[in-house]
Amino acid sequence: MKAIQITHSQQLNIIEVERPQAPGPGEILLKLHYVGFCGSDINTFMGRNTMALNPVIPGHEVGAVIEAVGSDVPEGLKPGMVVTCNPYTNCGKCASCRNQRVNACQHNETLGVQRNGAMKEYITLPWEKVIPAGLLTPKVCALVEPMSVGFHAVSRAQVTDIDVVLVIGCGMVGMGAVVRSAQRGATVVAADIDDEKLSLAREMGASYTINTRTEDVHARLREMTSGFGPDVVIEAVGSSSTYQMAVDEVAFTGRVICIGYAKTEVSFQTKYFVQKELDIRGSRNAQPSDFRAVIHYLERGTCPVDRLISREVTPEEAPAAMQQWADSPGKVFRILVKF
């Protein structure tokens, strides 16, 4: 069967791999319809993702249909159902798993990163990782996982309706954080360097936007918050400057939530950690409840999904699409590969 493979030297190839056999006990065979390229894939392509196999079959943003089920699979999972998947593993033994925060398992292997992923025609998964998608189409299902990462960050921030939340970075993960913060009643400020993304952030729940390339971020935030600064800052970019911005701009006793992986060392004025008595929290992957919340949101039909999908390509068109994304990264939300 057909699959896509990425190397760390800006090569993306169409390869042939063996099709999975009938699912075994506790397994489900999925027919992939849509799989999304994500930020980790572009970093792998550019040689910047040190966590990824080389080469690797990418893909953990899945829209699929159940092809067949093995024995010992719950009756609620049947052939023909539209599903997505939880692409993370957990060992059940590390400190994170012991604390029931399996999304942050010390030994996690995400599909398409630490192990070969779902960007192929069929894949077999344990039934526990298959998530029924309700009324969603397979195409929309491919948006669930990245948005769930943003939803999880909002949970980590314990956002409430009295908070001002600054979301730095309006890619798919950041958009998830915008949506979830707005759902919780917070006043949301979206920050990015792209006006088109900022316009979409308003449509998805942001009350204010800041173009960090053309506007004075500090002055705008002080104006919006009566001089206090935002109660919560969610960093969804992963650069030195945005990490510093998060710590500098958050209010005293505020919460900083870190999603993005910075590619270089970051220098902080650590006095702010103490003077502001900050809560600085990492946010990794997502919990099953976050997946369910995103599916519930998307089922309402209010999300402008067509604007979140930058391109839909065939496997044969994927190499050119990935190169174009590498050449102009700021203009892409999601590229979906249709199998």
Side-chain angles (χ1 to χ4, degrees):
M1 66 177 180
K2 192 176 298 182
I4 289 174
Q5 186 183 71
I6 297 177
T7 71
H8 291 206
S9 55
Q10 291 192 253
Q11 289 186 337
L12 190 151
N13 304 309
I14 313 301
I15 62 172
E16 287 291 325
V17 297
E18 186 176 352
R19 175 175 167 168
Q21 302 300 311
E27 293 183 336
I28 293 179
L29 176 65
L30 301 182
K31 170 68 176 76
L32 281 305
H33 284 230
Y34 289 90
V35 184
F37 279 125
C38 77
S40 65
D41 299 327
I42 193 67
N43 283 320
T44 300
F45 182 72
M46 299 294 291
R48 299 189 297 239
N49 188 354
T50 58
M51 295 185 295
L53 296 177
N54 184 20
V56 66
I57 296 173
H60 53 257
E61 300 175 359
V62 167
V65 171
I66 295 178
E67 181 83 3
V69 299
S71 61
D72 303 324
V73 171
E75 291 185 3
L77 295 167
K78 299 180 181 297
M81 288 183 64
V82 176
V83 296
T84 187
C85 76
N86 181 330
Y88 323 123
T89 64
N90 59 283
C91 69
K93 299 177 181 179
C94 71
S96 299
C97 291
R98 185 177 62 184
N99 291 327
Q100 298 184 347
R101 288 165 64 177
V102 296
N103 58 292
C105 174
Q106 181 178 351
H107 305 293
N108 166 65
E109 293 183 348
T110 299
L111 279 174
V113 186
Q114 294 95 342
R115 58 188 171 129
N116 282 321
M119 202 159 280
K120 50 193 175 184
E121 295 179 82
Y122 293 89
I123 191 171
T124 301
L125 294 173
W127 73 261
E128 295 92 341
K129 298 299 182 182
V130 176
I131 303 172
L135 302 175
L136 301 187
T137 65
K139 186 175 182 178
V140 177
C141 281
L143 304 179
V144 171
E145 191 274 342
M147 292 194 78
S148 72
V149 176
F151 272 46
H152 181 66
V154 174
S155 295
R156 290 284 293 143
Q158 298 175 297
V159 170
T160 73
D161 58 350
I162 64 172
D163 288 322
V164 176
V165 179
L166 170 65
V167 179
I168 306 175
C170 293
M172 277 294 299
V173 171
M175 287 297 186
V178 167
V179 168
R180 195 57 165 165
S181 297
Q183 285 183 333
R184 292 191 175 199
T187 300
V188 183
V189 183
D192 200 277
I193 61 173
D194 185 88
D195 286 330
E196 184 178 350
K197 289 184 177 181
L198 292 173
S199 174
L200 183 54
R202 278 188 177 271
E203 189 174 337
M204 297 182 72
S207 298
Y208 304 96
T209 58
I210 301 174
N211 187 314
T212 58
R213 178 173 286 170
T214 61
E215 299 182 75
D216 185 327
V217 176
H218 181 76
R220 288 291 313 283
L221 287 172
R222 294 295 157 176
E223 176 187 344
M224 296 171 187
T225 62
S226 301
F228 291 110
D231 305 284
V232 174
V233 178
I234 297 176
E235 199 288 329
V237 176
S239 73
S240 175
S241 61
T242 51
Y243 263 85
Q244 290 169 343
M245 181 189 300
V247 171
D248 290 349
E249 299 300 340
V250 71
F252 274 63
T253 67
R255 288 99 75 196
V256 175
I257 310 301
C258 306
I259 309 176
Y261 280 91
K263 309 303 183 295
T264 59
E265 291 186 0
V266 183
S267 298
F268 290 109
Q269 290 288 341
T270 54
K271 66 179 182 181
Y272 290 147
F273 297 4
V274 178
Q275 287 180 345
K276 294 185 176 184
E277 199 175 52
L278 298 180
D279 288 341
I280 300 177
R281 305 174 186 176
S283 182
R284 184 181 180 192
N285 300 332
Q287 292 271 22
S289 59
D290 300 307
F291 283 86
R292 293 196 301 270
V294 173
I295 290 169
H296 181 63
Y297 161 66
L298 291 172
E299 282 183 316
R300 298 175 187 172
T302 58
C303 178
V305 293
D306 289 342
R307 294 184 63 191
L308 294 174
I309 299 170
S310 304
R311 292 185 65 182
E312 179 183 323
V313 300
T314 65
E316 290 76 16
E317 295 167 332
M322 180 63 83
Q323 187 59 59
Q324 289 165 7
W325 189 9
D327 294 339
S328 185
K331 294 297 182 182
V332 172
F333 279 109
R334 273 302 176 271
I335 297 172
L336 301 188
V337 180
K338 182 178 181 180
F339 285 90

